[in-house]
Amino acid sequence: ATTSSIKSITIRQQQKQREREENKRKRQEEKEREKEERKAQRLATKVAKQKQQQQNKAEKEKRLDQAKQAMGKFTTSEIAVLIHPTFLVTTQKYDEAEELMESLQQTYSVQPYESIDSSFQSTSGGVPIQWIRKDYLKGGATDALQGLQRKESHRYQHLHSLVIVFDDAPKFLKLLQRKHEDDDYPLLQQYIQQLLTQWRLHWNLSHTDTPRVFLLLYQVADEVNRQWNAHAKSKDRQSSASSAAAAPVSDAELHDAICFLLVHHHVECLLYDTMEEIVEFVTKMTRALSEEPYQQQVTELECIKKIKADDTLNDQDLLAKVKDCWVRQLQQLPRMSENYALNLAHHYATPRQLWDAYQDPNISEGEKRGLVSSLIQDGRENRKMSDTLYRFMTSVDVQELL
């Protein structure tokens, strides 16, 4: 009996020991599981935090880009210059012009592009330069050029400005030939009409669409002088009548033709002596067109002198701040100086006080017009200014001159 009881006690002790070890193992596993869960939770929180930070950073960069877009900070990346390959080859013949063209290509997107029929261009002369653009946040000039290559006009904005570079002066002077002095340069008019037709056909535009055209004339004035010198030295002259008919275009006719194009066709002609001046014009034109969408129209309010508020005033003194604003408002009136405005504000500290005085039924119209005449200027009456102020406060005619 003693032996069996000892065995049973031993068995129970072993069972308890196994139970304790099992409980210990379970607790250890539970701790490990909780530790892994906390670790995974911290990792998930860290990943979510990083993701949120990246999202906030992306949104912040997007807002900054939108603000920069609105201010025109990406203008150089939004416009592409479409230059005829012939002009690019021509600029390589002049060192300074080539340097300016390289600078233009580094600043803006320059694409060799033939936008006018080659047969018309070779016959009449003149190489075209045009522009397309697209907002930077929508793809910029790079996407615009891709849209142009794929003929997807919705992917870019075509700017209605057309520059024609005449680097062959004799060809341009041939367009000025006419039978009589009273003729309105028929060859030149025909060229302009064909040029606009080619432009509309290429860009698939209606006959009402008209670009702003610039003709850049390279050494045309020098060519006029050269032709006249050659004509004067000619030895095989015929009769005076035939000599007059064969006479080259004069300097007066050149300037008359330039004025004719400007007045009747709104085409601007610019005379240049060097090719680098032409490239410089193209660069300035590109910059002006790229900045044009962001230029704000100047209003009359922006032409008025800005008067700063008094920074020394206490923010708690609202009446003083209203009085200061009232003084600055009064100075917008013609001939109302700061001293005049301060004198008036000393008696009428707010516009409402002056308005209530003008609404007093016990005061006649004439008395109201001169109500503040003795308050504006020290020691003198200023009825004219008083009348101006009265009309400003009570008139309902928005066209009335003060």
Side-chain angles (χ1 to χ4, degrees):
T2 306
T3 304
S4 61
S5 62
I6 293 173
K7 287 183 178 179
S8 63
I9 293 172
T10 303
I11 292 172
R12 286 197 299 270
Q13 290 178 346
Q14 291 176 349
Q15 290 177 347
K16 290 181 179 180
Q17 180 66 24
R18 286 196 295 271
E19 289 176 358
R20 285 196 295 270
E21 291 177 353
E22 181 69 18
N23 292 334
K24 183 178 180 181
R25 185 183 62 80
K26 289 182 178 179
R27 288 195 299 271
Q28 187 68 26
E29 290 178 353
E30 184 69 21
K31 288 181 180 180
E32 291 292 334
R33 186 170 58 254
E34 291 177 355
K35 183 178 180 181
E36 291 295 330
E37 289 178 355
R38 288 195 298 270
K39 184 178 179 181
Q41 187 176 5
R42 287 196 299 270
L43 181 61
T45 304
K46 183 178 180 181
V47 171
K49 186 177 180 180
Q50 291 177 348
K51 187 176 179 180
Q52 184 65 35
Q53 289 176 348
Q54 292 176 354
Q55 185 177 357
N56 293 339
K57 183 179 179 180
E59 291 179 355
K60 183 179 180 180
E61 291 178 352
K62 184 179 179 180
R63 290 194 299 270
L64 289 175
D65 288 342
Q66 289 175 347
K68 291 180 180 180
Q69 174 80 70
M71 293 186 293
K73 298 296 185 181
F74 304 119
T75 54
T76 57
S77 302
E78 294 178 335
I79 195 166
V81 192
L82 310 179
I83 300 180
H84 196 279
T86 305
F87 184 67
L88 294 175
V89 175
T90 302
T91 56
Q92 295 176 1
K93 301 177 183 178
Y94 308 90
D95 293 338
E96 295 184 4
E98 185 179 10
E99 291 179 2
L100 290 175
M101 181 58 68
E102 291 176 355
S103 176
L104 177 65
Q105 292 173 336
Q106 292 174 359
T107 307
Y108 302 96
S109 297
V110 177
Q111 177 71 24
Y113 187 75
E114 296 185 13
S115 57
I116 292 181
D117 186 77
S118 57
S119 60
F120 171 76
Q121 186 265 332
S122 60
T123 304
S124 303
V127 291
I129 300 175
Q130 301 188 70
W131 293 265
I132 59 173
R133 73 171 301 278
K134 189 173 186 178
D135 288 348
Y136 176 77
L137 297 182
K138 296 180 180 180
T142 303
D143 190 72
L145 289 173
Q146 292 177 358
L148 180 66
Q149 293 172 355
R150 298 177 183 178
K151 297 183 179 180
E152 299 174 352
S153 58
H154 64 278
R155 292 180 58 182
Y156 61 86
Q157 176 189 359
H158 173 231
L159 304 182
H160 289 193
S161 295
L162 175 60
V163 169
I164 302 296
V165 180
F166 271 95
D167 57 345
D168 191 345
K171 281 189 177 181
F172 178 77
L173 292 178
K174 286 182 180 179
L175 298 176
L176 305 187
Q177 293 177 356
R178 53 184 179 172
K179 296 181 179 180
H180 306 286
E181 292 184 358
D182 297 334
D183 292 344
D184 291 333
Y185 306 98
L187 295 178
L188 186 59
Q189 291 194 72
Q190 182 181 1
Y191 170 79
I192 295 297
Q193 292 173 359
Q194 291 179 352
L195 177 66
L196 296 180
T197 302
Q198 290 281 338
W199 179 80
R200 295 187 182 104
L201 287 174
H202 182 82
W203 298 103
N204 194 23
L205 300 173
S206 65
H207 68 281
T208 57
D209 293 317
T210 303
R212 185 179 180 184
V213 183
F214 297 86
L215 299 185
L216 308 186
L217 310 178
Y218 175 60
Q219 294 186 348
V220 172
D222 294 341
E223 179 63 19
V224 170
N225 296 331
R226 190 195 66 78
Q227 290 185 4
W228 271 100
N229 291 335
H231 178 72
K233 295 177 181 179
S234 178
K235 297 180 180 179
D236 52 348
R237 295 184 180 180
Q238 301 175 2
S239 62
S240 59
S242 61
S243 177
V249 176
S250 65
D251 188 64
E253 286 179 314
L254 173 61
H255 289 283
D256 180 66
I258 291 175
C259 293
F260 173 80
L261 286 177
L262 181 61
V263 173
H264 293 278
H265 296 280
H266 306 288
V267 175
E268 299 182 46
C269 297
L270 303 173
L271 299 172
Y272 290 106
D273 295 327
T274 60
M275 188 58 64
E276 50 266 26
E277 291 178 329
I278 294 179
V279 180
E280 186 177 359
F281 172 85
V282 174
T283 303
K284 291 180 178 179
M285 186 78 175
T286 303
R287 179 179 178 181
L289 291 174
S290 66
E291 295 177 353
E292 185 178 11
Y294 306 101
Q295 292 178 351
Q296 297 181 355
Q297 187 177 2
V298 179
T299 63
E300 293 181 358
L301 291 177
E302 294 172 318
C303 298
I304 299 176
K305 180 182 178 182
K306 303 298 186 297
I307 304 174
K308 295 183 178 180
D310 190 354
D311 297 332
T312 62
L313 297 176
N314 187 358
D315 292 339
Q316 303 299 325
D317 192 351
L318 298 180
L319 181 60
K321 296 187 69 174
V322 172
K323 183 178 179 181
D324 177 66
C325 179
W326 172 229
V327 169
R328 288 184 283 117
Q329 288 177 332
L330 286 172
Q331 292 181 69
Q332 305 304 318
L333 292 174
R335 301 176 300 278
M336 177 69 77
S337 66
E338 183 179 3
N339 291 333
Y340 290 177
L342 288 172
N343 291 338
L344 182 62
H346 179 71
H347 296 84
Y348 297 97
T350 64
R352 182 57 184 266
Q353 292 181 4
L354 182 60
W355 170 258
D356 292 340
Y358 283 141
Q359 301 305 311
D360 189 351
N362 299 322
I363 303 177
S364 64
E365 180 77 13
E367 291 174 337
K368 291 178 181 179
R369 290 182 177 272
L371 180 65
V372 297
S373 59
S374 60
L375 307 178
I376 299 175
Q377 196 170 356
D378 295 332
R380 293 182 58 184
E381 286 196 1
N382 195 331
R383 298 191 64 85
K384 186 175 182 180
M385 183 62 70
S386 177
D387 179 73
T388 298
L389 185 59
Y390 173 75
R391 288 187 289 113
F392 170 72
M393 296 287 291
T394 61
S395 178
V396 295
D397 183 9
V398 296
Q399 300 295 334
E400 184 171 356
L401 296 177
L402 299 178

